[in-house]
């Protein structure tokens, strides 16, 4: 993996040798499925919102924006002030940009039409989780933003917009996330591989640092909230036991990492290889993660990076969504590990692939 960004402080000289997100989007315009100026602007708007959200997160302890607002969102989860800020900034950026006609956010009960008179000339719909893993913000741990982009048919009107927008993840035209960690990264795909950009705070630009990301196939890490083990199925428990068994030839064993922030756990596993799981459990029969703005965009990304995403029984990107806030069990990461999980959950243990 080449890292184009030098350690030197950004200067006009350093800038000449690296590619900004904006340059990248303009350069690759002809490779996007939607090779339109509007699509390039849409991506730029999301990245601008990400910078503003990042700015707020970095000042969280200072400006008293941490902690709960006292309200609950549509999923009965306590909302955080930063959740609200992130939601507002994304909506504002997309509204101002004018390319997006419809948004669906984790923080809003219904999809929102951004076209004031039902005039859907702009054709993009964007689903997003403005601040994923936000229970981590109070303890200074990493969080993220996830987004998923669809195009809408030209002839729809406001009445049927939701139905036509709820399309399987395989129809996404772009997806990505922003990881607010020790650095801030913008990682996205338009169906032509996955590229990662790191924010240089000195110049306020995302710079290409992780071109053409591919997920390693080793069983480096597994990520699951194992405190819930009593609520897992016997098949899943058997799979977890398999995961922890040392390789008989090499003695190699997998490591466990669970931040409890999907973006952060996914990002780490994308770089190191591994498997993130949020399975069905007794009190969450469909798991906890949301299809439209968590599972689908990450499934698109991981497949583009050579990995796999499954419910345990079927490809996530083939699911036909029934609601904006629908949940799905999720097994996502290095392909051999996801295949092994599927084999256990479907009683095909004899087909478990060998994973180095
Ligand atoms: P959060 O509720 O803090 O937004 O999306 C939901 C999510 O975080 C994921 O980011 C995270 O992986 C998961 O929930 C953590 O849930 P558990 O506490 O049940 O493990």
């Amino acid at each position: 993996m080449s890292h184009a960004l030098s350690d030197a402080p950004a200067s006009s000289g350093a800038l000449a040798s690296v590619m900004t997100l904006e340059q990248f989007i303009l350069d690759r315009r002809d490779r996007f499925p939607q090779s339109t100026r509007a699509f390039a602007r849409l991506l730029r708007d999301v990245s601008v919102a990400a910078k503003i959200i990042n700015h707020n997160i970095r000042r969280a302890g200072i400006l008293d924006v941490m902690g709960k607002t006292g309200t609950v969102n549509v999923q009965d989860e306590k909302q955080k002030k930063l959740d609200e800020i992130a939601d507002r900034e994304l909506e504002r950026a997309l509204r101002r940009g004018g390319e997006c006609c419809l948004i669906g956010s984790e923080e809003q009960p219904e999809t929102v039409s951004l076209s004031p008179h039902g005039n859907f000339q702009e054709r993009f719909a964007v689903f997003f989780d403005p601040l994923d893993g936000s229970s981590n913000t109070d303890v200074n741990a990493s969080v993220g933003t996830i987004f998923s982009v669809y195009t809408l048919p030209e002839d729809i009107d406001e009445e049927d917009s939701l139905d036509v927008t709820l399309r399987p993840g395989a129809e996404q035209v772009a997806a990505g996330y922003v990881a607010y960690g020790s650095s801030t990264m913008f990682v996205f795909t338009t169906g032509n591989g996955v590229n990662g950009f790191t924010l240089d705070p000195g110049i306020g630009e995302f710079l290409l640092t992780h071109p053409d990301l591919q997920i390693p196939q080793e069983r480096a890490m597994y990520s699951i909230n194992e405190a819930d083990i009593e609520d897992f199925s016997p098949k899943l428990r058997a799979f977890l036991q398999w995961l922890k068994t040392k390789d008989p030839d090499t003695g190699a064993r997998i490591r466990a990492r669970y931040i409890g922030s999907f973006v952060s756990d996914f990002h780490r596993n994308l770089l190191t290889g591994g498997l993130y799981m949020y399975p069905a459990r007794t009190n969450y029969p469909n798991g906890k993660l949301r299809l439209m703005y968590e599972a689908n965009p990450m499934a698109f990304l991981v497949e583009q990076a050579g990995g796999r995403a499954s419910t345990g029984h079927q490809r996530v990107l083939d699911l036909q969504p029934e609601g904006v806030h629908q949940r799905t069990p999720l097994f996502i990461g290095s392909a051999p590990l996801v295949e092994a999980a599927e084999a256990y959950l479907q009683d095909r243990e004899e087909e478990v692939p060998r994973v180095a």
Side-chain angles (χ1 to χ4, degrees):
M1 184 191 313
S2 88
H3 290 249
L5 187 59
S6 83
D7 287 333
S11 65
S12 51
L15 254 184
S17 62
V18 296
M19 181 173 277
T20 67
L21 176 61
E22 206 147 327
Q23 287 165 338
F24 182 90
I25 291 170
L26 288 173
D27 280 12
R28 304 277 174 115
R29 234 179 10 201
D30 57 344
R31 292 196 219 163
F32 295 160
Q34 311 303 317
S35 58
T36 60
R37 276 169 186 269
F39 186 63
R41 280 204 310 267
L42 179 93
L43 283 177
R44 189 208 51 207
D45 292 342
V46 174
S47 77
V48 169
K51 287 183 202 171
I52 298 173
I53 296 167
N54 178 64
H55 183 61
N56 280 283
I57 290 171
R58 300 297 173 207
R59 296 183 304 162
I62 302 165
L63 291 186
D64 191 31
V65 288
M66 292 170 93
K68 301 178 177 67
T69 58
T71 56
V72 290
N73 68 9
V74 65
Q75 275 123 163
D76 229 21
E77 296 165 340
K78 291 191 173 68
Q79 281 183 298
K80 306 269 183 167
K81 289 180 189 171
L82 277 170
D83 282 312
E84 283 185 353
I85 291 170
D87 187 50
R88 187 185 65 215
E89 292 304 335
L90 270 164
E91 177 171 342
R92 190 181 285 174
L94 292 170
R95 202 180 270 283
R96 195 174 41 223
E99 311 75 40
C100 175
C101 61
L102 188 126
I103 57 168
S105 163
E106 184 196 20
E107 298 303 326
Q108 304 193 32
E110 310 288 347
T111 52
V112 178
S113 166
L114 300 187
S115 196
H117 309 295
N119 171 14
F120 287 100
Q121 281 168 351
E122 308 84 7
R123 297 174 49 233
F124 295 106
V126 181
F127 295 86
F128 53 83
D129 181 351
L131 204 63
D132 173 71
S134 56
S135 52
N136 281 298
T137 50
D138 287 352
V139 295
N140 202 2
S142 313
V143 288
T145 294
I146 312 175
F147 64 93
S148 159
V149 185
Y150 290 79
T151 47
L152 298 180
E154 305 219 3
D155 54 350
I156 64 162
D157 59 34
E158 201 156 5
E159 288 285 288
D160 58 13
S161 61
L162 183 57
D163 286 345
V164 294
T165 308
L166 288 180
R167 308 294 309 150
E171 295 182 24
Q172 292 170 101
V173 294
Y177 64 85
V178 188
Y180 310 99
S182 47
S183 59
T184 300
M185 280 195 70
F186 188 98
V187 180
F188 80 102
T189 184
T190 55
N192 269 309
V194 177
N195 290 283
F197 298 78
T198 303
L199 184 64
D200 182 335
I203 57 170
E205 293 280 0
F206 284 105
L207 305 178
L208 179 62
T209 51
H210 295 66
D212 200 16
L213 275 167
Q214 286 291 306
I215 186 167
Q217 301 298 305
E218 294 90 52
R219 58 171 174 175
M221 302 285 173
Y222 79 100
S223 315
I224 188 169
N225 193 339
E226 235 169 334
D228 295 323
I229 194 149
E230 291 196 356
D231 295 328
F232 294 162
S233 69
K235 291 174 189 175
L236 180 58
R237 288 191 222 174
F239 172 61
L240 291 174
Q241 194 51 48
W242 172 84
L243 264 183
K244 293 177 208 174
T245 308
K246 282 188 196 170
D247 184 292
D249 299 332
T250 64
R253 70 167 80 189
I254 198 163
R255 314 304 300 165
R257 294 284 187 279
Y258 188 73
I259 297 169
S261 165
F262 179 38
V263 170
S264 314
D265 283 311
F266 177 89
H267 181 68
R268 182 201 50 249
N269 293 355
L270 179 65
L271 298 184
T272 64
L275 172 64
Y276 175 94
M277 295 167 268
Y278 208 109
R281 40 182 241 241
T282 322
N283 45 345
Y284 284 107
N286 293 315
K288 181 183 179 192
L289 300 189
R290 277 50 64 105
L291 177 63
M292 294 302 288
Y293 41 79
E294 291 181 311
N296 268 342
M298 296 309 217
F300 189 19
L301 281 159
V302 88
E303 287 197 3
Q304 285 293 314
R308 191 173 172 97
S310 168
T311 64
H313 296 273
Q314 83 177 100
R315 182 182 179 227
V316 168
L317 293 180
D318 289 337
L319 290 173
Q320 174 58 54
E322 282 159 13
V324 187
H325 300 294
Q326 174 179 339
R327 299 176 194 269
T328 178
L330 182 63
F331 296 81
I332 188 166
S334 306
L337 287 171
V338 177
E339 283 163 15
E342 290 173 320
Y344 266 88
L345 294 175
Q346 297 170 24
D347 287 326
R348 296 185 284 104
E349 283 97 315
E350 67 287 356
E351 291 175 32
V352 169
R354 184 82 202 277
V355 188

